[in-house]
Amino acid sequence: MFNYQQWLFIHRYAIRDIRRSYKKLWVIAITLFISLLLLSLTFSIKQSLNDEIKSNSVELLGGDVQINSGITPLSDERLLQLSKLAKVSQTVNFFTMLSKPGEGAVFTDLRSVDEHYPLYGVVQTEPAGAREKLLVETGAPAVLINENIQNQLQLKVGDELKIMSTIFVVGGVIVSVPDLTNSAAFGEFAIISKNEYDKFDLRTAGSFLHHDTRLKIPKSNDYDSIVDAVQSLLADDNNIRMKLPSDSAQSLRRIIDNFSNFLNLVSVSAMIIAGIGISNTLLSFINQRNTSIAIKKSLGFSSQTIQLIYFYEILVVLLSASIVAYAVGVLSPLVANLVIPASFGISLQPSFSLLDYANVAFIGLLVVLIFSIPSLYSIPSIEAAALFRNTFQSVNLHFSAKNILYLLILAAILVAYFVLQTRQQTLTLSYFFAFFVSMFVFYGVAKFLIFVLRQLPAFPNNTYKIAYRNIASKKSLAPIITISLGIGLTLLLTLSFVADNLKREIVQSIPSMAPDLFFISVNKDEKEPLEVFIRTLDSDAIMEFNPMVSATFVALNAKPIESLVSRDNRSHWAIQGDRRISWSVEPPEDNLIIKGEWWKPGNSEQMLVSMDSRVAEDLGINVDDEITLSILGREVVGIIKNLRQVDYRGMGTNFAIIINTAFAQQLPFEYVGTLKSEHPSGEIQSQVLRQFPNISAIKIDRILSKVGQIMNKIFIAVTSISLIVIVIGMIVIVSAVMVQTSLRKYNNLIYKILGVDFATILKAMTLEFAIIYLTLISFSISAAAFASYYVVENIFTLQWQLDWGLTLMLTASTGIVTFALILLANKNMFNPAVYPLIRNE
Amino acid sequence: MTMNKSAIQFSDVSLSYGTSDNRVEVLKGISFSINADEIVSIVGPSGSGKTSIIMLAAGLEKTSSGAIKINNEDITNLNENALSAVRRQHVGIVFQSFYLIPNLTALENVLLSLEANQKYNKDEEAISLLTEFGLAHRIHHLPSELSGGEQQRVAIARALINKPAIILADEPTGNLDETTSKNMMQLLFDYTRAQQTSLVLVTHDNDLAQQCDRIIELKDGNIV
Ligand SMILES: Nc1ncnc2c1ncn2[C@@H]1O[C@H](COP(=O)(O)OP(=O)(O)OP(=O)(O)O)[C@@H](O)[C@H]1O
Ligand SMILES: [Mg+2]
């Protein structure tokens, strides 16, 4: 169709045009830049967050796979097979007495570790490096103890300690170990070497031993296939339980899910906003150049060639914008590291990949293609004939049947390409759908406004007449302005509302997820004395105690639950290992019953169950289903009576399963509790432990600081992304303003020449803007409230709140900024000398 | 192709605007023919249809009835792209308001006309033409840096550079003072004669019209 020479000409012409009039292209460039930046940021934030969570959860678990074989170690044969797949580390945990001659003894969670321990992270000790002493074979063996033991037995480094009948030497004090999750061990905790443990020869002693084998999968290998291989290796033994890192980050799951949902929403919006911006700026670009286009046509250039020149210009802009945007996106972690206070403990790594860039650029290309078609196809309607009559009418977006077909095909490709990359596909699809629907809605709003204005009687007032003519005339650009402004404003409001709700949840979660102490194994009779005692230490302490027993989820409607729920089910955690279940007479505060009914008191024969509605939904559990729980070794069948919305934001211990009190009272139970106090938690902990030696008090701030870190990160991400969203929202608005500028300038000048005074023109512009904006506000707020309600309540499963202050602030500031932009764009109207302006047009 | 072949031929051409109840009949079945080396002026009162004829000849307007031939090719039923092709190969247009592309230099504006015909890298040709038009020192200036007369000379160079068969000029000197107009027209006459190009000149200036080979006078949509 075109030969090489012609392409060369198009290329040269486009480049020259860009060089000479880049000022007119900067809005397109900036729109593209910011939205592509946002796109690559969402991709890279998602990636780095996943990496962060993965590495944290791997550390929390202590390996890529944790294998618990209970009281027996794995057979040598199995270990050999495993060691072919990954690096293996074995630990054994058991409770035993540590005694210091003359000072007494403490019951301690003793861990024996091999030379590979820890596979991930480090054991921090005081003095540093004490972990190495465990490997020394000569002299008395070393033991590492924690602070509690040190305090209780008044030990220092070098002192002797007796375990079983062996004398150990204190090698150091443990400050932290990486794998905290399943060692409920911040009561009394000590580490010795596996060699020494083997010398105890407890194999036949029938003690209560926990054998854990952890694996570190080499980086280069395919993680999933190795996990599968490990799984099939162990499948034949029912006593072996396998745990993966994803199981250890449960407390974060929900927020992480919500956050990645939010990112999806944002990136879809960013593209759409950018698209509208491009289509508007391109249209105004074409309108500003309609003389040049007409001249080219009079010289015999075809519309196609002219379209290609402009399209080529946009592609060049796209290419540069995408490179810069991707580069900034890649480097942004470095900037973030500088900006985020070091105390958050966040360190982000920039990661560059050509594939990622291609991905961003390809999406950008599709968006540009889609949104430039209706603008570029306005070029054929610019006629060279205008040069003879000196009349240039502004052209509008062009939608022919052929165009619409192209648009549909391209939009389908974009949506498919984008949706296939996301995890929540139906959700992402519905975001796109909602956007297309709202486009039509706002088009309808524009037509409706024009219709209403035409029905109104003609006010005999100059201001009104001018405003009326601008909106309701045949060639009015009001529909485009209304759609752009409407979508821009709605997306701005929706995203702000969603971000606001998400931020609220995170803010509430950060303190609430950080009680200082966690009490377990609190005897029935000890609960009250413990509460009283803590009150004497800190009368303001916030405490919450719940009765509990441990239970394992065995079956659902008599089918083994493991066979019903796959490992990647969102709520798989609820069926894994021992869960704590609790009971109560009344439904817990804030827990809304969404299905079924709460039970009446009594009925001690039958176990009645109330279940977390989200877990129930994920596991396919319904009211009246029968579930089998194994409680203290006994299998009990219960009936699901209701589903409850659990508010995990509270500071208390939350239970996915609650049963009826009458039934539970027959069970031997204990209490678990949380404590939040202004006082140093270590002090309270040691006082409590001295007074109540049987209770385990766990200092959890160390575990939670990891959780807190991730939370902080998400919070910062949400905040900064909302700021960027506001910027791109503004860009659409700028572009909407620009579309009408050239036409309006001309009209205003004519009015001025005709002697309409400045005040009237200004008043007319204000009135026109007010009519459009006020119509839009009500639609936009309703649409945004509706959309954000849906997202927040149904997808994030949070409680939605509308912040009227925020709404008012956003709508008012958007209105003011937009109107200011309109005035700015028409600033030469304020120029008293009219004639020179016309000559320059 | 002989020299006396007609460059433009109108056969019973009518042009009307608007729909039935609100119809303006601009041209009422006119016929004329202009030879390949002829210089013809079109005169007539305002609103008589002069510009309309030029637009029809340039393929920028469609006839309501009748046929138009450009270089013996019937353009009446051609589509947009084919009309563009006819225009870039055979027709040069000169407007009253010059219409140069504002962000291109004088030279680039002239080259654009060649580039429309896929003739690239002909800078020398364009420079020599502009030099002959007395614009040697203005070659690399933008239109905004040129006087009206200079702009119109660039516009004429742009129309001529392609050696078209036909030049259509709608009041080319309407925006210029008398001396400048005279010089300008001399240039146009000289070059069209030298290149044996036909020229259709719409003008209100009687003197100018008299210098042409033939005058077509319009009144109320008819040739008188
Ligand atoms: N789009 C249109 N719709 C209706 N009438 C039109 C249209 N364009 C031109 N006319 C009418 O056609 C007639 C001829 O116009 P044209 O421009 O050809 O006149 P002209 O002879 O060039 O006049 P002038 O000397 O003033 O330039 C005029 O009466 C004009 O009103
Ligand atoms: Mg005219």
Side-chain angles (χ1 to χ4, degrees):
Chain A
M1 201 169 50
F2 283 96
N3 62 33
Y4 170 72
Q5 288 285 334
Q6 278 168 297
W7 284 115
L8 198 66
F9 164 71
I10 288 172
H11 165 77
R12 289 222 186 102
Y13 194 95
I15 299 293
R16 184 173 62 196
D17 208 31
I18 293 175
R19 270 214 320 270
R20 295 203 184 149
S21 45
Y22 57 90
K23 276 186 202 145
K24 292 186 173 153
L25 283 165
W26 75 266
V27 183
I28 297 184
I30 294 205
T31 311
L32 269 173
F33 166 72
I34 293 190
S35 50
L36 291 176
L37 175 63
L38 200 58
L39 204 62
S40 47
L41 276 181
T42 57
F43 286 150
S44 78
I45 288 176
K46 236 189 246 179
Q47 192 52 49
S48 81
L49 202 65
N50 279 340
D51 292 349
E52 173 92 8
I53 289 160
K54 196 157 175 226
S55 74
N56 269 309
S57 51
V58 164
E59 256 189 43
L60 284 171
L61 190 69
D64 294 309
V65 180
Q66 187 203 46
I67 301 158
N68 183 315
S69 52
I71 57 170
T72 50
L74 286 182
S75 68
D76 289 344
E77 188 195 347
R78 275 193 218 274
L79 280 174
L80 189 70
Q81 284 166 323
L82 288 176
S83 66
K84 283 179 192 152
L85 295 169
K87 188 171 171 185
V88 178
S89 163
Q90 281 181 288
T91 61
V92 186
N93 277 54
F94 65 106
F95 282 87
T96 188
M97 299 302 283
L98 260 65
S99 56
K100 179 187 177 190
E103 280 284 340
V106 289
F107 196 58
T108 300
D109 182 359
L110 184 67
R111 172 182 291 183
S112 71
V113 301
D114 65 7
E115 71 272 21
H116 296 313
Y117 174 87
L119 289 173
Y120 288 98
V122 287
V123 177
Q124 281 181 359
T125 54
E126 184 63 45
R131 192 238 169 282
E132 301 308 313
K133 294 182 188 166
L134 297 180
L135 302 174
V136 178
E137 295 282 337
T138 53
V143 59
L144 306 179
I145 57 172
N146 75 344
E147 233 180 289
N148 280 333
I149 302 177
Q150 186 191 28
N151 291 341
Q152 285 177 52
L153 297 183
Q154 298 297 312
L155 289 164
K156 55 185 191 301
V157 174
D159 284 355
E160 290 189 347
L161 255 185
K162 202 159 99 181
I163 306 174
M164 305 274 164
S165 49
T166 313
I167 297 290
F168 285 79
V169 173
V170 174
V173 176
I174 303 164
V175 178
S176 80
V177 290
D179 47 342
L180 284 164
T181 33
N182 48 339
S183 69
F186 268 69
E188 290 77 27
F189 176 62
I191 301 179
I192 59 170
S193 80
K194 183 99 181 352
N195 279 339
E196 293 306 316
Y197 162 81
D198 289 339
K199 289 181 196 157
F200 295 154
D201 199 21
L202 293 176
R203 257 162 255 245
T204 52
S207 311
F208 195 69
L209 302 175
H210 269 289
H211 285 270
D212 285 317
T213 307
R214 293 183 175 83
L215 305 180
K216 181 177 188 171
I217 296 174
K219 264 238 159 66
S220 55
N221 290 24
D222 177 15
Y223 177 83
D224 289 328
S225 67
I226 293 196
V227 169
D228 287 343
V230 171
Q231 199 155 35
S232 62
L233 254 178
L234 305 173
D236 56 330
D237 191 337
N238 285 330
N239 295 321
I240 295 179
R241 286 180 181 278
M242 218 173 102
K243 243 181 146 185
L244 296 175
S246 50
D247 304 325
S248 69
Q250 281 316 327
S251 51
L252 283 171
R253 217 349 96 67
R254 212 164 92 100
I255 284 179
I256 290 163
D257 277 357
N258 283 348
F259 180 66
S260 75
N261 263 320
F262 174 71
L263 286 183
N264 266 348
L265 179 63
V266 168
S267 45
V268 171
S269 312
M271 288 186 315
I272 287 162
I273 287 186
I276 298 178
I278 289 164
S279 125
N280 284 342
T281 40
L282 195 56
L283 186 64
S284 80
F285 183 74
I286 289 169
N287 273 325
Q288 282 169 12
R289 281 159 180 245
N290 56 9
T291 321
S292 296
I293 293 171
I295 295 170
K296 287 194 191 96
K297 287 193 171 182
S298 79
L299 294 177
F301 280 102
S302 65
S303 293
Q304 211 181 15
T305 312
I306 302 171
Q307 282 166 327
L308 271 176
I309 290 175
Y310 288 127
F311 188 61
Y312 194 91
E313 290 187 24
I314 301 166
L315 286 188
V316 173
V317 173
L318 169 71
L319 188 70
S320 3
S322 62
I323 290 174
V324 179
Y326 185 72
V328 174
V330 164
L331 296 178
S332 62
L334 297 178
V335 181
N337 286 344
L338 290 178
V339 177
I340 300 169
S343 61
F344 284 164
I346 296 169
S347 156
L348 300 167
Q349 285 308 311
S351 67
F352 172 81
S353 124
L354 209 58
L355 205 68
D356 286 351
Y357 168 71
N359 192 15
V360 168
F362 182 64
I363 292 178
L365 178 67
L366 282 173
V367 172
V368 162
L369 268 173
I370 292 172
F371 286 91
S372 60
I373 284 179
S375 305
L376 286 175
Y377 273 87
S378 68
I379 287 179
S381 58
I382 295 177
E383 291 175 4
L387 298 171
F388 287 100
R389 306 233 185 264
N390 294 313
T391 50
F392 292 96
Q393 284 194 315
S394 43
V395 288
N396 216 327
L397 297 180
H398 183 80
F399 294 97
S400 65
K402 198 173 82 182
N403 268 339
I404 291 174
L405 184 71
Y406 287 159
L407 287 182
L408 286 179
I409 293 172
L410 287 169
I413 295 176
L414 173 69
V415 171
Y417 182 78
F418 194 81
V419 166
L420 286 178
Q421 290 191 38
T422 57
R423 255 198 330 139
Q424 297 87 355
Q425 299 186 337
T426 18
L427 206 64
T428 313
L429 203 61
S430 55
Y431 290 152
F432 275 106
F433 184 71
F435 158 72
F436 288 122
V437 170
S438 39
M439 259 212 351
F440 280 105
V441 169
F442 281 107
Y443 184 72
V445 170
K447 289 286 166 194
F448 178 72
L449 177 64
I450 293 174
F451 175 77
V452 169
L453 284 179
R454 289 206 179 129
Q455 301 308 305
L456 291 179
F459 299 111
N461 168 307
N462 249 352
T463 306
Y464 175 78
K465 271 188 190 155
I466 294 175
Y468 169 83
R469 206 168 298 141
N470 279 345
I471 299 175
S473 69
K474 221 191 329 182
K475 282 253 170 179
S476 157
L477 290 169
I480 301 186
I481 312 281
T482 316
I483 293 176
S484 312
L485 252 177
I487 299 262
L489 189 62
T490 308
L491 281 178
L492 194 68
L493 288 172
T494 309
L495 290 177
S496 305
F497 290 166
V498 170
D500 191 45
N501 278 289
L502 191 55
K503 265 157 62 176
R504 193 155 40 80
E505 147 156 80
I506 298 170
V507 168
Q508 285 173 358
S509 303
I510 293 174
S512 73
M513 289 191 102
D516 305 315
L517 287 176
F518 191 52
F519 301 106
I520 57 171
S521 319
V522 181
N523 228 303
K524 275 188 230 185
D525 326 317
E526 273 179 332
K527 182 197 153 206
E528 260 168 51
L530 176 62
E531 278 179 311
V532 173
F533 178 69
I534 291 173
R535 285 267 170 265
T536 63
L537 298 175
D538 174 11
S539 56
D540 295 328
I542 304 166
M543 284 180 279
E544 189 179 311
F545 284 90
N546 286 291
M548 74 107 196
V549 292
S550 289
T552 316
F553 203 137
V554 179
L556 171 63
N557 294 325
K559 289 197 195 76
I561 188 73
E562 293 282 358
S563 69
L564 298 176
V565 180
S566 76
R567 208 174 66 203
D568 27 80
N569 191 303
R570 181 170 61 169
S571 292
H572 185 261
W573 57 272
I575 64 161
Q576 210 177 33
D578 278 357
R579 310 295 330 160
R580 299 194 183 94
I581 65 174
S582 186
W583 48 90
S584 83
V585 182
E586 295 291 321
E589 265 177 70
D590 308 337
N591 280 200
L592 191 70
I593 308 288
I594 60 167
K595 213 168 177 194
E597 272 166 21
W598 196 257
W599 44 73
K600 298 197 178 62
N603 211 351
S604 58
E605 265 75 78
Q606 176 68 57
M607 181 168 80
L608 306 175
V609 181
S610 166
M611 192 135 196
D612 176 350
S613 55
R614 182 166 164 143
V615 172
E617 187 191 328
D618 292 344
L619 302 184
I621 296 175
N622 233 312
V623 171
D624 291 335
D625 280 351
E626 287 184 355
I627 66 168
T628 312
L629 300 178
S630 164
I631 301 173
L632 301 163
R634 189 162 67 98
E635 294 203 349
V636 186
V637 177
I639 297 180
I640 304 280
K641 275 295 175 192
N642 59 65
L643 305 180
R644 205 162 23 95
Q645 227 166 30
V646 180
D647 186 359
Y648 284 95
R649 279 173 284 176
M651 130 132 176
T653 335
N654 286 292
F655 296 92
I657 296 178
I658 294 179
I659 61 174
N660 55 328
T661 311
F663 182 83
Q665 236 116 50
Q666 316 161 46
L667 303 168
F669 67 90
E670 41 182 45
Y671 282 92
V672 290
T674 53
L675 168 87
K676 181 138 189 77
S677 165
E678 298 291 313
H679 294 237
S681 54
E683 233 163 74
I684 298 181
Q685 183 194 26
S686 56
Q687 302 239 35
V688 166
L689 290 172
R690 205 162 300 154
Q691 193 78 16
F692 300 92
N694 294 328
I695 294 176
S696 294
I698 305 166
K699 239 174 100 175
I700 39 184
D701 36 8
R702 279 209 185 90
I703 306 176
L704 290 164
S705 69
K706 277 203 170 120
V707 174
Q709 265 174 36
I710 296 176
M711 290 291 198
N712 274 323
K713 205 164 174 177
I714 297 178
F715 185 81
I716 291 168
V718 172
T719 312
S720 47
I721 286 174
S722 335
L723 285 178
I724 302 179
V725 165
I726 290 180
V727 175
I728 54 173
M730 278 339 294
I731 286 185
V732 183
I733 290 164
V734 173
S735 75
V737 171
M738 287 188 43
V739 168
Q740 49 168 7
T741 301
S742 51
L743 177 69
R744 178 185 299 282
K745 256 189 208 161
Y746 188 73
N747 285 352
N748 283 342
L749 286 172
I750 302 284
Y751 290 138
K752 231 175 150 176
I753 292 165
L754 293 178
V756 179
D757 62 7
F758 172 74
T760 311
I761 297 177
L762 189 64
K763 270 192 275 178
M765 280 171 72
T766 316
L767 181 66
E768 181 194 343
F769 179 72
I771 291 174
I772 293 183
Y773 197 69
L774 290 177
T775 314
L776 278 181
I777 278 184
S778 43
F779 278 93
S780 289
I781 293 180
S782 332
F786 182 76
S788 62
Y789 175 85
Y790 176 79
V791 170
V792 169
E793 288 274 335
N794 293 327
I795 296 157
F796 290 10
T797 58
L798 304 177
Q799 266 162 325
W800 178 80
Q801 272 179 25
L802 184 58
D803 184 340
W804 281 107
L806 179 73
T807 314
L808 198 70
M809 204 189 76
L810 281 173
T811 45
S813 54
T814 311
I816 291 168
V817 172
T818 311
F819 191 57
L821 284 171
I822 292 180
L823 291 183
L824 199 69
N826 291 284
K827 62 176 185 301
N828 52 13
M829 195 191 73
F830 304 107
N831 194 329
V834 173
Y835 193 68
L837 293 175
I838 295 186
R839 243 179 66 145
N840 291 341
E841 279 300 294
Chain B
M1 304 257 157
T2 69
M3 296 213 314
N4 281 330
K5 273 242 165 112
S6 73
I8 304 176
Q9 195 175 2
F10 274 49
S11 320
D12 199 17
V13 171
S14 297
L15 175 67
S16 50
Y17 289 110
T19 47
S20 52
D21 45 329
N22 163 16
R23 207 173 167 82
V24 187
E25 286 201 43
V26 178
L27 298 175
K28 300 168 181 166
I30 60 168
S31 303
F32 65 89
S33 155
I34 296 171
N35 283 338
D37 54 357
E38 225 180 345
I39 295 184
V40 174
S41 70
I42 301 181
V43 296
S46 177
S48 56
K50 304 183 293 293
T51 299
S52 302
I53 288 182
I54 297 282
M55 286 166 70
L56 284 165
L60 294 171
E61 192 72 83
K62 290 260 172 205
T63 59
S64 306
S65 69
I68 297 173
K69 282 186 179 169
I70 296 293
N71 249 12
N72 286 321
E73 184 185 356
D74 190 339
I75 64 161
T76 328
N77 295 314
L78 293 184
N79 68 18
E80 196 54 49
N81 278 341
L83 284 172
S84 292
V86 170
R87 197 153 56 236
R88 66 175 170 256
Q89 286 160 17
H90 307 303
V91 182
I93 306 173
V94 181
F95 303 98
Q96 178 174 358
S97 327
F98 326 138
Y99 284 126
L100 299 176
I101 291 184
N103 69 356
L104 297 185
T105 63
L107 175 62
E108 287 161 349
N109 264 290
V110 174
L111 285 173
L112 198 59
S113 180
L114 290 168
E115 287 159 347
N117 277 299
Q118 300 188 47
K119 295 178 193 154
Y120 305 103
N121 307 319
K122 305 260 182 191
D123 295 28
E124 252 131 72
E125 228 173 276
I127 290 173
S128 78
L129 186 61
L130 284 167
T131 310
E132 287 177 49
F133 280 22
L135 290 170
H137 58 305
R138 288 283 178 268
I139 284 173
H140 298 294
H141 286 241
L142 291 173
S144 57
E145 298 157 354
L146 302 177
S147 75
E150 286 167 335
Q151 285 187 46
Q152 192 61 307
R153 270 181 279 168
V154 175
I156 293 172
R158 178 178 67 186
L160 285 172
I161 187 83
N162 221 7
K163 302 196 172 63
I166 304 157
I167 299 276
L168 304 171
D170 192 356
E171 299 182 41
T173 56
N175 279 353
L176 301 173
D177 65 62
E178 207 171 322
T179 10
T180 318
S181 304
K182 281 228 166 75
N183 293 337
M184 194 72 53
M185 285 321 297
Q186 207 50 56
L187 208 62
L188 197 53
F189 285 152
D190 290 351
Y191 270 84
T192 46
R193 290 235 156 84
Q195 287 183 9
Q196 297 193 320
T197 298
S198 72
L199 170 65
V200 181
L201 175 70
V202 171
T203 182
H204 281 122
D205 183 339
N206 254 329
D207 286 355
L208 209 55
Q210 295 305 330
Q211 292 175 39
C212 298
D213 301 341
R214 187 146 64 92
I215 299 177
I216 295 176
E217 193 177 345
L218 282 180
K219 196 165 186 200
D220 296 333
N222 288 307
I223 297 179
V224 292

